[in-house]
Amino acid sequence: MAPSNTVQDSVQKASLSDPEKFWDKHAKELYWHKPYSAVLRRQTKKLKDGTTHPHWSWFPDGEISTTYNCIDRHVKAGNGDKVALIWDSPVSKSKEKYTYSQMLEEVELLAGVLREEGVKKGDVVLVYMPMIPAAIFGMLAAARLGAIHAVVFGGFAANSLAQRIEAAKPKVILTASCAIEGAKGPLDYRPFVEGAIEQSSFKPSKTIIWQRENKRWDPVNKSEGQRNWQRLIKSARMRGLRAEAVPVKSTDGLYIIYTSGTTGLPKGVLREAGGHAVGLNLNIKYLFDVKGPGDVIFTGSDIGWVVGHSYIVYAPLLAGATTVLYEGKPIGTPDAGAFWRMVDEHKVTSLFTAPTALRAIRKEDPEDKFFKQYGEKGQLRHWRGLFLAGERSEPSIVTHYQDLLKQYAAPDARVIDHWWSSESGSPMTGLALRPAIGLDHNSQETHTALAIKPGSAGKPMPGFDVRIVDDDGNEVEQGKMGNIVLAMPLAPTGFTTLFNDEARFYKGYLKRFNGKWLDTGDAGMLDQDGYLHVMSRSDDIINVAAHRFSTGAIEQAITSHSSVAEACVVGVPDAMKGHLPFAFVIPSASTPDGLPATPSKEFFTGINNIVRTQIGSIASLGGIIQGKGMIPKTRSGKTLRRVLRELVENAAENNFDKEVNVPATVEDKEVVEVARQKVREWFEERKKQQGTEKAKL
Ligand code: AMP
């Protein structure tokens, strides 16, 4: 179907056959405080136990400042009056705009403040913030000093925040007095932050608080290292305090992002400064067609996720374009037209969101009234691309929005599903929106783009060598399902290690295939045309509304309930959120036998509240089945989550008796039948309850 001689195919080939030449050309678009002498260095690393594995470094002896490249470079080039950031916050009824010059001023001041508060090159600054401009200034100010930021999603509860404080050991925490969540009103951050610091054995020396009028942090306890952000800035402004950009080595960390691991503990993915800047500067232009002033990208994600780091903050600014920061939801703030209003009002050219947001919008507005309301007045004609990632996009969502774009957006506007992760830092597959010939982004001449295939996440992106292998690491034929792995080195935005944990990097990503491939944890296939189809994640991680959760971490939360002996969490399909965590719970030994599969409301709420407090409300459970002797294990004691997941998936389709794939290593096959019974009982009970609810209406 798709010929393999398109510009995307030849770009891909060039990036893999001569990576040094390819990336050197793109690295030269940035400012290096100290130019590199080598583009790529390949090495072998040795762990304490003697195991060796491949390691690589991009631009190893170069020195760079990401903040300088994101802001100062554009101001120096005469683009200081171009808009860098638009903040649109329906929840606080505010809108603000910052030009590159204004942003420079804010970031220089804040960096000066942080330096006075003791932050130095290499220190960690933790950012726990709502979606306000100060959060972005905080990230850029930390990077300006050569410090490493660790942004923690502002929806995480104290426990999850404490784990990340413990692991990152931040010198300073940047936070705010509250977040604002639509109709729910302000969410007080103080108990989360103070609670987390109390729980953590590591104590940051300072907590700097952005005061929001909706709910102030009062009083600010100076003796505990708490400081009022705005006051510090005011004083710095009066004194003319400024901090110049401090370059770091290309391989030094720019940030740590915590992601779910297969054990309960989050993994700190370390992003290296040089490769990140070079890779993002290329793919924002190549894939997203955001090339500079006049191009506006609105990424409906959160700065706490990698998508937010890359496409709300760094990539648009590296390109010198405008980024839109949105504090609101796809629906309810105030309605399901919010995204389309933003496209119209801020002249958005590229919109990036997760399919879960589109599902929510469609549920509220099945006839696309809002979309058409803007579209029919011709107010969406500047819009060129709708980018989807974070989870699988079902073909129907792609075709539906492709049809709408065709009618109302720019003539060649497309819906582009692309696949990536915290580890990759940028898309590993996708379709270049309007690839410029020879990747000369200043050229107006563009090349025919590859056709989209709904259900596929496109073809590999520069520098990512994507392969499909069987469980022994052998490549499978095109069109066959298998494990999605990457050949090394990864593209420059990709991670090369975990923060302070090389052994876990090896164990989590390389050990499975003896260091030959890097395991992405995803499964899928490359079809005959070389398009990737991502089908599922390995069992220990589930994807809820494009957020990655470790089943282990949720199980740990559940088992902290006093009447729970054991728990097994699986992801079950959900029409809105893609997946929901669903728990099999074994009550403690003292509980009588013969309990019904559906627990009491109190028991469910008790456990669900623990999950909400320890993990966060987005991990709320879709259901609990209680019972004994229903969690199948292998002989070596590994929980067979997949078996339980299959049972639930089959039941959701009314297929209670369908054969499930039980491995030969199962310890007791009978346990699977007990689980099957329990699942049936639970679903039948739910059906009954839904029937009664309907009858009541
Ligand atoms: P995170 O590191 O939190 O960004 O999650 C990355 C994971 O999200 C990937 O490993 C996939 O499992 C999933 N993911 C991201 N983008 C896609 C996509 N376009 N299609 C299917 N799954 C995706």
Side-chain angles (χ1 to χ4, degrees):
M1 171 200 168
S4 59
N5 57 356
T6 64
V7 85
Q8 181 164 339
D9 292 304
S10 48
V11 164
Q12 187 61 13
K13 231 190 204 155
S15 78
L16 297 182
S17 63
D18 193 348
E20 278 92 345
K21 183 169 164 212
F22 183 88
W23 291 109
D24 183 36
K25 172 175 159 155
H26 296 292
K28 292 220 163 86
E29 287 196 14
L30 298 181
Y31 178 79
W32 292 83
H33 278 77
K34 177 176 171 247
Y36 50 87
S37 62
V39 172
L40 173 64
R41 189 171 63 207
R42 299 171 201 252
Q43 287 160 294
T44 303
K45 258 200 181 166
K46 197 170 188 174
L47 295 175
K48 276 199 194 111
D49 66 2
T51 323
T52 55
H53 67 83
H55 181 74
W56 62 95
S57 314
W58 289 103
F59 320 104
D61 62 349
E63 287 185 16
I64 194 164
S65 161
T66 305
T67 301
Y68 184 93
N69 275 288
C70 284
I71 317 177
D72 307 51
R73 186 168 56 104
H74 304 305
V75 175
K76 288 209 156 81
N79 285 327
D81 60 343
K82 299 284 187 294
V83 178
L85 171 68
I86 298 173
W87 179 49
D88 190 312
S89 168
V91 295
S92 67
K93 306 204 170 25
S94 328
K95 285 179 197 172
E96 287 175 5
K97 270 189 189 171
Y98 293 85
T99 63
Y100 275 92
S101 296
Q102 287 166 333
M103 189 182 246
L104 179 60
E105 156 117 6
E106 297 295 332
V107 172
E108 275 180 326
L109 277 169
L110 182 57
V113 163
L114 289 178
R115 196 175 54 196
E116 281 194 340
E117 296 299 323
V119 176
K120 297 185 307 296
K121 184 168 170 169
D123 286 341
V124 175
V125 174
L126 190 141
V127 179
Y128 180 75
M129 298 277 290
M131 296 280 283
I132 59 176
I136 296 186
F137 302 154
M139 294 164 76
L140 291 162
R144 190 170 190 80
L145 297 176
I148 303 170
H149 60 69
V151 184
V152 176
F153 174 53
F156 272 134
N159 215 40
S160 305
L161 179 57
Q163 274 184 339
R164 286 153 177 83
I165 295 175
E166 195 85 64
K169 304 200 174 12
K171 188 159 240 175
V172 167
I173 295 187
L174 295 178
T175 189
S177 55
C178 68
I180 306 169
E181 295 198 341
K184 280 191 234 152
L187 172 72
D188 195 354
Y189 266 5
R190 185 171 199 154
F192 295 140
V193 177
E194 288 185 342
I197 295 176
E198 199 180 316
Q199 280 179 45
S200 162
S201 67
F202 179 86
K203 310 287 177 199
S205 57
K206 301 279 166 58
T207 303
I208 302 179
I209 305 135
W210 181 271
Q211 295 282 15
R212 302 190 78 181
E213 287 315 313
N214 315 67
K215 170 94 201 161
R216 291 180 68 82
W217 180 305
D218 205 17
V220 170
N221 290 337
K222 269 197 123 175
S223 59
E224 287 170 29
Q226 297 178 358
R227 299 284 182 273
N228 179 320
W229 186 320
Q230 285 98 325
R231 275 223 192 128
L232 295 178
I233 291 289
K234 195 170 164 197
S235 144
R237 209 184 291 271
M238 270 166 30
R239 289 179 289 132
L241 186 68
R242 292 273 186 282
E244 283 298 307
V246 178
V248 296
K249 281 208 306 225
S250 170
T251 51
D252 282 346
L254 170 71
Y255 69 77
I256 309 164
I257 184 154
Y258 285 95
T259 183
S260 298
T262 49
T263 67
L265 284 180
K267 293 187 287 201
V269 167
L270 185 70
R271 184 80 52 228
E272 294 177 9
H276 171 256
V278 174
L280 280 191
N281 185 51
L282 167 63
N283 67 47
I284 183 96
K285 296 172 178 168
Y286 180 57
L287 177 61
F288 295 85
D289 196 35
V290 171
K291 294 176 176 161
D295 291 332
V296 182
I297 182 166
F298 161 34
T299 300
S301 175
D302 190 282
I303 48 153
W305 309 123
V306 66
V307 168
H309 280 64
S310 292
Y311 293 106
I312 296 175
V313 187
Y314 287 112
L317 299 179
L318 282 164
T322 303
T323 185
V324 180
L325 178 72
Y326 176 58
E327 191 184 28
K329 302 249 150 73
I331 55 169
T333 57
D335 54 39
F339 277 17
W340 325 132
R341 169 190 64 83
M342 302 266 290
V343 172
D344 168 34
E345 188 173 332
H346 305 307
K347 295 284 160 283
V348 171
T349 51
S350 292
L351 167 59
F352 180 172
T353 188
T356 184
L358 298 183
R359 288 185 209 118
I361 292 171
R362 286 202 63 195
K363 186 159 178 245
E364 285 281 305
D365 180 18
E367 280 151 27
D368 302 301
K369 282 198 199 117
F370 285 110
F371 198 110
K372 291 175 184 162
Q373 178 190 315
Y374 293 98
E376 275 161 9
K377 289 191 210 135
Q379 285 159 242
L380 305 176
R381 287 278 170 231
H382 50 276
W383 181 14
R384 305 197 289 263
L386 170 58
F387 296 87
L388 301 178
E391 56 178 319
R392 185 178 152 76
S393 290
E394 59 278 22
S396 59
I397 219 154
V398 175
T399 46
H400 183 83
Y401 280 95
Q402 184 61 61
D403 287 348
L404 286 171
L405 289 189
K406 197 165 171 199
Q407 282 185 65
Y408 301 112
D412 56 351
R414 299 199 296 161
V415 180
I416 305 235
D417 181 3
H418 55 300
W419 167 70
W420 57 311
S421 65
S422 306
E423 289 83 350
S424 73
S426 68
M428 294 176 276
T429 66
L431 297 174
L433 189 61
R434 286 176 170 174
I437 289 175
L439 286 190
D440 173 4
H441 301 294
N442 299 320
S443 155
Q444 291 304 309
E445 208 180 344
T446 54
H447 203 286
T448 321
L450 283 165
I452 64 165
K453 273 196 195 188
S456 147
K459 295 179 96 170
M461 280 284 122
F464 285 109
D465 189 353
V466 182
R467 314 279 182 102
I468 309 291
V469 300
D470 62 20
D471 287 345
D472 297 322
N474 299 316
E475 283 190 69
V476 303
E477 276 169 53
Q478 265 180 301
K480 288 250 157 66
M481 284 281 292
N483 305 293
I484 313 179
V485 298
L486 301 170
M488 289 167 277
L490 306 194
T493 59
F495 74 150
T496 67
T497 191
L498 293 177
F499 181 60
N500 287 343
D501 208 346
E502 189 68 26
R504 194 167 175 208
F505 169 70
Y506 177 76
K507 201 165 160 242
Y509 298 95
L510 299 179
K511 189 171 172 210
R512 182 165 176 211
F513 298 111
N514 294 322
K516 182 167 183 207
W517 309 113
L518 190 138
D519 187 13
T520 65
D522 287 325
M525 64 142 176
L526 279 166
D527 69 16
Q528 298 303 337
D529 300 316
Y531 282 63
L532 183 75
H533 299 250
V534 185
M535 305 313 288
S536 64
R537 267 203 77 83
S538 58
D539 290 335
D540 28 36
I541 295 181
I542 52 177
N543 201 324
V544 181
H547 300 157
R548 208 163 119 177
F549 290 100
S550 145
T551 47
I554 303 176
E555 285 162 9
Q556 200 173 310
I558 296 176
T559 47
S560 69
H561 187 286
S562 57
S563 347
V564 173
E566 195 186 343
C568 172
V569 170
V570 298
V572 295
D574 177 76
M576 293 299 295
K577 297 188 169 172
H579 283 90
L580 283 181
F582 189 96
F584 287 78
V585 169
I586 314 260
S588 47
S590 56
T591 339
D593 286 345
L595 287 172
T598 309
S600 67
K601 226 180 181 162
E602 294 69 46
F603 189 66
F604 176 84
T605 316
I607 290 184
N608 202 30
N609 280 345
I610 295 182
V611 172
R612 290 167 67 94
T613 357
Q614 291 196 15
I615 312 284
S617 55
I618 37 172
S620 287
L621 297 174
I624 293 180
I625 292 184
Q626 65 178 2
K628 294 189 175 173
M630 60 170 182
I631 299 184
K633 303 265 168 69
T634 62
R635 270 179 240 127
S636 61
K638 282 213 167 88
T639 304
L640 288 165
R641 285 199 188 87
R642 190 179 37 74
V643 171
L644 292 181
R645 195 189 69 209
E646 274 184 42
L647 287 173
V648 178
E649 279 173 359
N650 295 345
E653 290 169 2
N654 250 330
N655 235 335
F656 297 106
D657 297 320
K658 190 172 171 193
E659 197 63 32
V660 288
N661 213 338
V662 184
T665 48
V666 67
E667 190 185 25
D668 180 359
K669 231 179 154 181
E670 240 340 274
V671 173
V672 179
E673 293 316 308
V674 176
R676 189 192 294 278
Q677 258 325 102
K678 284 281 175 191
V679 170
R680 179 194 284 267
E681 194 188 323
W682 188 90
F683 272 86
E684 283 175 351
E685 174 64 25
R686 193 179 64 159
K687 220 178 189 175
K688 242 199 289 172
Q689 282 177 8
Q690 283 172 340
T692 345
E693 265 163 37
K694 265 200 195 125
K696 267 194 229 154
L697 290 174

